[in-house]
Amino acid sequence: MTTLSGKTALVTGSTSGIGLGIALSLAKAGASLILNGFGDAATVIAEVEHLNKSSGGKVGHHPADVSDPAQIADMLAYAEREFGGVDILVNNAGIQHVSAVEDFPVERWDSIIAINLSSVFHSTRLSLPGMRAKGWGRIINIASVHGQVGSVGKAAYVAAKHGVIGLTKVVGLETATSNVTCNAICPGWVLTPLVQKQIDDRIATGTDPQQAQHDLLAEKQPSLEFVTPPQLGELVLFLCSEAGSQVRGAAWNIDGGWLAQ
Ligand code: NAD
């Protein structure tokens, strides 16, 4: 099993869903954790503290709204001050809005680009110098299958996720001769609040809840099963391991077969 004892991981958007699952896996592997995201941080902090207690890992939370570059800079300064920097950066915070492009609210476009794409640039540029100085680092961007293919109604999300994969390739190349790697993970459907909202929209049109879930999967995900946050956590641990050290600039699908079609 990968041991990350002595390493510090920052996972953006880790108070819920995929980010929380990844934070729990990293904590189980012994990493210190800087959590980020909205909502009830206290419960999440306690859960993570319980997991990495035996390794002596520390746990903190920074409430940065990652749509604001100044708050991201403040979070990285906190990481430097309280944890001695970030060794593993997981850019996970993200939002969704579904609407046809001609009706797409301009302010929703702007916030999706800021949260899902620009925040990845800011946290990467601010943590990379510290990783280079320490001679080791992992940058893992939670993109999506929507970084590789489109779906109707998701103009901003698809544009942002394609951008994340492009940025990942460039950072993967710029760090290629170092012990810092940068990769993207592309999940298919994962049953989190972000996706539950899309199921609820179907239920609101009169579809039975189980049928709504089945229809959502059947349209795109051949396995007809959701990817889970612990499965994503395990993939993050692999990318942090020595065995994963030559995976560079990749966009790694974990999608029940979505992109094989
Ligand atoms: P979620 O809604 O469960 O969690 C999102 C997290 O991001 C929460 O902790 C929230 O507080 C945080 N967040 C939102 N806006 C923020 C902001 N401005 N600043 C800081 N934190 C903010 O969503 P999820 O499904 O777990 O999604 C996590 C990531 O995975 C996203 O980037 C999403 O695009 C991606 N993803 C999700 C799926 C899926 O099926 N759920 C599939 C592919 C990719």
Side-chain angles (χ1 to χ4, degrees):
M1 181 178 157
T2 310
T3 171
L4 296 173
S5 169
K7 306 280 191 217
T8 296
L10 165 61
V11 185
T12 67
S14 44
T15 49
S16 168
I18 293 171
L20 175 56
I22 291 171
L24 295 176
S25 294
L26 288 164
K28 268 190 222 157
S32 288
L33 254 302
I34 301 170
L35 304 163
N36 159 258
F38 304 141
D40 175 18
T43 313
V44 176
I45 291 171
E47 205 175 342
V48 174
E49 259 171 359
H50 175 70
L51 286 175
N52 70 359
K53 197 154 55 182
S54 59
S55 66
K58 262 175 77 170
V59 185
H61 172 264
H62 192 285
D65 176 339
V66 301
S67 66
D68 177 3
Q71 293 188 42
I72 298 175
D74 192 59
M75 180 164 64
L76 270 299
Y78 160 81
E80 192 58 47
R81 208 171 49 242
E82 301 292 330
F83 289 78
V86 171
D87 305 292
I88 301 161
L89 170 66
V90 182
N91 286 305
N92 165 80
I95 59 167
Q96 176 64 284
H97 181 85
V98 182
S99 165
V101 70
E102 65 269 40
D103 304 325
F104 213 94
V106 171
E107 64 284 1
R108 295 299 284 168
W109 169 276
D110 288 343
S111 29
I112 289 175
I113 298 300
I115 294 166
N116 295 18
L117 175 58
S118 300
S119 77
V120 181
F121 162 65
H122 293 299
S123 53
T124 299
R125 73 179 171 81
L126 292 167
S127 31
L128 194 47
M131 292 178 183
R132 286 199 196 275
K134 287 190 198 174
W136 191 92
R138 294 288 185 266
I139 300 171
I140 299 166
N141 299 325
I142 306 306
S144 167
V145 287
H146 285 118
Q148 303 191 54
V149 294
S151 287
V152 292
K154 298 186 177 173
Y157 188 86
V158 168
K161 296 297 188 182
H162 274 68
V164 167
I165 291 181
L167 175 59
T168 301
K169 289 175 181 169
V170 173
V171 179
L173 291 173
E174 291 184 4
T175 53
T177 57
S178 74
N179 283 328
V180 178
T181 71
C182 177
N183 292 290
I185 291 178
C186 299
W189 292 125
V190 187
L191 190 52
T192 66
L194 182 141
V195 165
Q196 187 59 48
K197 187 174 175 304
Q198 294 171 62
I199 295 171
D200 290 345
D201 290 344
R202 289 168 188 251
I203 295 169
T205 66
T207 314
D208 160 81
Q210 268 200 323
Q211 189 63 40
Q213 216 178 79
H214 175 270
D215 292 350
L216 181 101
L217 286 166
E219 278 169 18
K220 304 275 187 180
Q221 196 145 305
S223 66
L224 300 179
E225 287 181 26
F226 289 101
V227 181
T228 68
Q231 288 167 347
L232 290 159
E234 288 295 317
L235 181 50
V236 166
L237 292 188
F238 170 70
L239 291 174
C240 290
S241 72
E242 179 51 31
S245 65
Q246 287 309 320
V247 184
R248 292 173 182 270
W252 191 311
N253 312 334
I254 170 163
D255 63 358
W258 184 321
L259 291 177
Q261 298 165 103

